[in-house]
Amino acid sequence: MSEQKWLPGTLLGRLDETSRKALLALGVPKTVAAGSPIIREGHRETFVVLLIDAVAKVTAAMADGRPALLSIRMSGDIVGEMSALNEVPRSATVTACRPSAVRVIYRDEFREYMRTRADAAVEIAGTVADRLRWANRRRMDFAAYPVKVRLARVLAEMSAAYGRRGADGIVVSVDLTQAELATLCGAASMSVQKALRELRQANLVETGYRRIVVRDLAVLRELADAAV
């Protein structure tokens, strides 16, 4: 497994080879069927799940009971780390988008790994900080910025975390519907469709089945930061 090319925005992509191998040796392997929960919002388990070959969606219940899509997670990511670190109930549900292979790492084993590998502990803390920063930025975006800017930010951040360089640009192979992309942007589906059409017309992105290609990341980032 250490020979796999882990995406740079994931925890396994951030770790050095020694710490990566040590983390991959922890826990027990498990397979999860498409559509099945990996962890459930409100539950009090404290294990961490390391995604080995997986795509997962993170959702939380809104006031009316409907699920809101908060983010996506890919192979190389961990989920459930907050409950392992401070024993609070799960803040969200993580659901497998396709048949997935994961490793379930129990709290004591995970915490011992962090105690004995300072470099890995720093990267895990960095992952948590990035996620908090993403959540805070989304809250500000919803109130302050146009849909096109919000969409540009989401696509730029997805490209950085989960993109792979292709012939036509950065390929983000994430299975998101336009409705789910709209939820990530905090906007109506029609508004996101319009913004996405404008980005395509500007030759900044290309959309296809289960993937988005960012054709000009530099210009997309300029748009994303235009209101800052």
Side-chain angles (χ1 to χ4, degrees):
M1 189 65 64
S2 61
E3 296 179 357
Q4 181 169 339
K5 179 70 173 178
W6 302 102
L7 292 169
T10 65
L11 177 60
L12 289 179
R14 297 167 71 147
L15 294 176
D16 65 33
E17 185 175 357
T18 301
S19 292
R20 186 185 307 120
K21 285 182 177 179
L23 184 58
L24 285 164
L26 300 182
V28 294
K30 181 180 179 181
T31 57
V32 184
S36 296
I38 297 172
I39 61 177
R40 294 180 185 269
E41 183 178 3
H43 284 207
R44 287 191 166 272
E45 312 102 335
T46 56
F47 56 80
V48 171
V49 179
L50 179 62
L51 305 183
I52 303 299
D53 183 6
V55 177
K57 295 176 183 178
V58 183
T59 60
M62 296 188 291
D64 61 6
R66 290 180 299 144
L69 180 64
L70 303 180
S71 59
I72 57 166
R73 298 287 179 256
M74 304 284 285
S75 305
D77 277 327
I78 57 168
V79 294
E81 72 282 354
M82 294 299 291
S83 292
L85 294 173
N86 57 21
E87 299 185 69
V88 297
R90 302 294 196 192
S91 59
T93 295
V94 181
T95 305
C97 299
R98 59 171 171 80
S100 297
V102 305
R103 294 192 73 85
V104 177
I105 305 171
Y106 290 97
R107 176 176 178 269
D108 289 347
E109 191 177 18
F110 181 66
R111 292 175 68 124
E112 179 63 19
Y113 172 81
M114 292 186 64
R115 277 193 292 268
T116 56
R117 295 189 174 274
D119 60 324
V122 169
E123 296 299 345
I124 292 166
T127 297
V128 173
D130 286 347
R131 292 175 181 179
L132 292 174
R133 189 178 302 110
W134 157 257
N136 288 336
R137 184 165 178 172
R138 287 183 70 231
R139 280 194 290 269
M140 291 186 294
D141 286 354
F142 293 170
Y145 300 130
V147 173
K148 190 173 177 180
V149 172
R150 290 183 240 165
L151 176 60
R153 287 185 171 181
V154 168
L155 295 179
E157 287 166 350
M158 287 173 58
S159 297
Y162 302 124
R164 292 187 186 276
R165 179 66 63 179
D168 299 321
I170 298 175
V171 180
V172 184
S173 299
V174 176
D175 186 9
L176 286 179
T177 66
Q178 284 198 3
E180 290 168 335
L181 188 58
T183 304
L184 281 177
C185 297
S189 292
M190 292 295 292
S191 298
V192 169
Q193 288 175 19
K194 179 177 181 292
L196 197 56
R197 184 168 60 250
E198 291 173 358
L199 294 180
R200 285 197 298 263
Q201 290 171 346
N203 204 34
L204 296 181
V205 302
E206 173 188 325
T207 57
Y209 179 64
R210 294 186 175 182
R211 73 171 199 163
I212 296 170
V213 179
V214 176
R215 300 180 66 90
D216 195 330
L217 182 57
V219 175
L220 189 71
R221 281 176 170 158
E222 288 179 9
L223 175 60
D225 294 335
V228 176

